[in-house]
Amino acid sequence: MYCSFPVKSLTSDLKNIDNQVALALHGSDILGIKAIADMVMMDPISVLVTVVFMSFLVNVFKNQKKSINFPPGPMPLPIIGNMHVINTLKPQKSFTEMSKKYGPIFTVYLGAQRLVILCGYDTLKDALVNHAEKFAGRPCTAIGSKILDGYGILFSSGENWRVMRRFTLSTLRDYGMGRKDIENKITEECDCLLQAIRSHGGKAFNNQTIITAAVANIIVCILLGQRYEYDDPTFLKLMNLVNEIVSNMESRMVRLYNSYPSLIGWLPGSHRALRKKHIEMQNFARETFIRKQKELDVNSQRNLIDSFLAKQQEGKPESTLYFHDINLVKLVNNLFAAGMETTATTLRWGLLLMMKYPEIQKKVQNEIENVIGSAQPQVEHRKEMPYTDAVIHEIQRFGDIGPIGLPHATTTDVTFRGYNLPKGTTVIPLLHSALRDKAYFEKPEEFYPGHFLDSEGKFKKNESFIPFSLGKRSCAGENLAKMELFLFFTTLLQNFTFKAPSGAKLDLTPAVGFMNSPLPYEICAIPRG
């Protein structure tokens, strides 16, 4: 679905209003101000359009003035920029088409917001790995300033980001990421998930809530040292908040707000709903760590929040500068959202694809029987299961969960592949273009596990497989996510055969949103053995 815009009508209106403003300003100061005030009273919408138009021109002029030899791109229109030629529901599709005309590096405007788009694995690797430090920033956006304030890990920059990422990686390792401790937690959660699925007795049900809850419990265990029952009201509210926040992040109103915050901010819409949901998430995190503060024993730290609170008490300069309550609230929210939504969505894609391609499901089950049998799946089994490993990788590639990676910003003036990008330039790494790169994938638009198998049926890596992004801003929980995907997926297919309800049509079209999620579907889990 594309935006339409009455360009001729807008141009005519702008000329008329510009003439009125010019005439008003030719008189004395008082008369000019009165004329403008009268005009605002008579035609406030036209004045609003003019202000937005002039704001757009100022932004474009500033950008062009300091951007000699900037990447090419389609000519922006007043106010809307390039939004008239971008599929706002699935912008990755438009960006892929634009790259055929303008090359792997090009510029687009969303309103007055200027973005540089990077396409193709080679370009992404060059920027995010070979020039890692120069592309490691996060842009300052209106919505980001409103709800994130540059704290936490996902949307912070500079030293705050470095300290939070270093702490997060070390703490995740301390609490078992990639080790047997967390593997045991995932295995226990697998048993709870199996029990929930069995309760449906092979009848059709929607798996979204229980899959999301099972995955969410893993990150909750790391953050809080506990788990929730799948029907716990607090847990359900928390999962719903995350889902709504992710859904609203790239809505049209949020994009407009980022371009024209002073003009759009007072209007109702998802940009205001997003802030409200973030406040609710913050309140939950704040109440949780306040409770943890009262229970804290620095000599017996049991979870990430304990470790953060212990850092606060060390009395070092870093404790005051970075390990404060605001960073803790944002960090907990960041990790909960990142640790829940993407992995759960990938698993839901996996089950949908197994129903769509029962022959692939059967081959995975045969490999599980040959390697694991009826024993509990363990991470060490993965190296003996090349086909299952290939299928999981292909689920991630085909599902394309985060087609447009989180935005980066240049941390300094940089010359990249012949183009000059000033400090603070917003850069979008189009992960979709790497996961669909024809130079690396034989059948990029199809679900084809052979992308990750050699001629002898052994697993082979593909360097263009970058669902977790690349470089210094790559996903901090990548190893945890890989472990979860393998253990949950193999346990589910070991115990059930998944089928579509009678007469159901399986649609692989992604739902509209910031993430590529499968459309709602029902599933029948038939017990095996």
Side-chain angles (χ1 to χ4, degrees):
M1 182 176 178
Y2 290 78
C3 296
S4 60
F5 201 85
V7 177
K8 290 183 180 178
S9 174
L10 171 64
T11 303
S12 175
D13 288 346
L14 289 171
K15 285 181 179 178
N16 290 336
I17 297 168
D18 285 347
N19 289 337
Q20 294 176 52
V21 173
L23 287 172
L25 292 177
H26 272 301
S28 67
D29 289 345
I30 295 175
L31 290 176
I33 292 169
K34 182 179 183 303
I36 293 173
D38 290 342
M39 187 178 65
V40 170
M41 294 297 293
M42 292 172 57
D43 197 356
I45 299 299
S46 295
V47 173
L48 178 63
V49 170
T50 300
V51 172
V52 174
F53 176 60
M54 298 305 293
S55 172
F56 172 83
L57 290 181
V58 168
N59 273 302
V60 170
F61 178 74
K62 284 181 178 178
N63 286 334
Q64 290 182 348
K65 189 175 180 181
K66 63 182 181 181
S67 303
I68 301 171
N69 197 29
F70 207 71
M75 178 67 70
L77 291 178
I79 301 176
I80 63 171
N82 298 122
M83 291 173 71
H84 63 302
V85 294
I86 295 175
N87 181 338
T88 53
L89 299 181
K90 294 295 175 186
Q92 67 270 19
K93 301 296 184 184
S94 300
F95 295 157
T96 299
E97 287 302 310
M98 288 179 186
S99 69
K100 296 175 183 177
K101 179 177 181 180
Y102 298 106
I105 310 165
F106 59 92
T107 305
V108 297
Y109 283 83
L110 296 182
Q113 189 181 19
R114 185 178 66 172
L115 313 174
V116 172
I117 313 296
L118 304 182
C119 291
Y121 170 72
D122 294 341
T123 305
L124 291 171
K125 181 184 177 183
D126 194 8
L128 304 183
V129 177
N130 299 340
H131 297 79
E133 283 290 346
K134 295 177 180 178
F135 285 89
R138 285 280 190 245
C140 295
T141 62
I143 197 71
S145 299
K146 203 77 173 176
I147 63 178
L148 297 165
D149 304 321
Y151 296 111
I153 184 172
L154 287 182
F155 296 96
S156 62
S157 293
E159 195 59 26
N160 188 87
W161 163 68
R162 291 185 182 88
V163 173
M164 288 298 101
R165 183 175 174 86
R166 190 163 55 242
F167 166 80
T168 300
L169 287 171
S170 65
T171 307
L172 288 176
R173 282 193 294 268
D174 290 344
Y175 292 111
M177 186 175 74
R179 300 206 307 266
K180 203 67 180 176
D181 291 352
I182 199 65
E183 182 176 349
N184 291 338
K185 293 291 184 183
I186 298 170
T187 297
E188 291 171 13
E189 197 61 46
C190 284
D191 290 338
C192 297
L193 179 58
L194 293 178
Q195 184 177 343
I197 293 175
R198 288 192 187 104
S199 70
H200 292 279
K203 295 180 181 179
F205 69 99
N206 186 311
N207 63 16
Q208 182 170 358
T209 298
I210 60 173
I211 292 288
T212 304
V215 172
N217 262 332
I218 305 306
I219 194 64
V220 167
C221 176
I222 293 171
L223 293 174
L224 309 178
Q226 67 181 74
R227 72 174 297 277
Y228 288 95
E229 295 299 325
Y230 297 166
D231 60 354
D232 184 289
T234 300
F235 199 32
L236 291 171
K237 180 181 179 181
L238 201 53
M239 291 189 293
N240 186 55
L241 280 173
V242 172
N243 183 264
E244 291 184 13
I245 288 169
V246 171
S247 298
N248 286 329
M249 276 298 289
E250 282 296 305
S251 66
R252 287 169 176 163
M253 283 302 290
V254 168
R255 290 181 185 137
L256 282 172
Y257 178 67
N258 279 334
S259 291
Y260 305 108
S262 58
L263 296 169
I264 302 298
W266 59 275
L267 294 173
S270 53
H271 60 301
R272 299 183 77 171
L274 186 60
R275 186 164 185 261
K276 182 181 177 183
K277 299 301 178 185
H278 262 280
I279 290 171
E280 290 184 54
M281 278 284 289
Q282 287 176 195
N283 289 341
F284 171 83
R286 192 174 289 109
E287 289 166 9
T288 300
F289 79 70
I290 287 173
R291 186 168 66 250
K292 293 286 184 183
Q293 277 179 320
K294 296 175 182 177
E295 304 168 356
L296 178 65
D297 179 354
V298 293
N299 297 314
S300 179
Q301 299 168 32
R302 299 158 296 175
N303 50 65
L304 184 139
I305 293 181
D306 280 358
S307 297
F308 194 103
L309 295 173
K311 282 280 189 182
Q312 285 185 340
Q313 297 185 14
E314 286 182 355
K316 299 178 181 177
E318 192 178 67
S319 302
T320 304
L321 285 172
Y322 304 110
F323 290 93
H324 46 70
D325 290 352
I326 297 175
N327 248 341
L328 178 54
V329 168
K330 306 293 185 183
L331 181 63
V332 168
N333 288 351
N334 287 173
L335 294 178
F336 186 81
M340 179 191 89
E341 197 72 18
T342 54
T343 303
T345 301
T346 303
L347 283 171
R348 290 177 53 234
W349 270 117
L351 298 182
L352 177 61
L353 288 161
M354 292 304 96
M355 292 193 296
K356 184 77 171 179
Y357 302 104
E359 70 283 2
I360 294 177
Q361 179 175 198
K362 185 60 180 174
K363 290 181 72 173
V364 171
Q365 289 171 330
N366 288 342
E367 190 172 65
I368 291 172
E369 289 172 5
N370 293 335
V371 176
I372 303 175
S374 60
Q376 180 73 49
Q378 299 177 10
V379 171
E380 64 184 28
H381 288 131
R382 180 165 49 192
K383 60 180 178 291
E384 303 174 57
M385 302 173 67
Y387 188 76
T388 301
D389 205 6
V391 168
I392 293 172
H393 278 69
E394 183 65 359
I395 290 167
Q396 289 181 271
R397 187 201 70 82
F398 183 84
D400 192 17
I401 307 302
I404 298 179
L406 291 176
H408 289 234
T410 51
T411 58
T412 184
D413 293 349
V414 56
T415 299
F416 180 69
R417 293 198 166 192
Y419 297 113
N420 296 331
L421 307 181
K423 180 180 179 179
T425 299
T426 300
V427 177
I428 304 295
L430 194 65
L431 302 185
H432 169 84
S433 66
L435 297 178
R436 295 288 196 274
D437 198 326
K438 293 179 180 178
Y440 291 89
F441 296 105
E442 180 184 350
K443 302 176 182 179
E445 301 303 323
E446 298 180 26
F447 181 72
Y448 180 61
H451 288 138
F452 299 95
L453 294 168
D454 64 17
S455 58
E456 298 178 355
K458 296 179 181 178
F459 181 81
K460 69 173 181 181
K461 293 183 178 181
N462 190 314
E463 58 182 333
S464 193
F465 175 76
I466 54 169
F468 300 102
S469 194
L470 286 169
K472 293 181 177 295
R473 284 284 185 173
S474 62
C475 176
E478 178 176 348
N479 289 334
L480 175 62
K482 289 178 177 177
M483 181 183 287
E484 289 177 293
L485 287 173
F486 180 79
L487 292 175
F488 277 118
F489 186 72
T490 53
T491 300
L492 288 171
L493 266 66
Q494 180 190 53
N495 287 271
F496 301 102
T497 293
F498 295 97
K499 296 181 178 181
S502 179
K505 293 183 179 180
L506 299 177
D507 189 350
L508 299 183
T509 304
V512 173
F514 176 62
M515 291 174 56
N516 271 342
S517 302
L519 291 166
Y521 66 87
E522 289 201 324
I523 190 169
C524 296
I526 312 303
R528 300 182 70 233

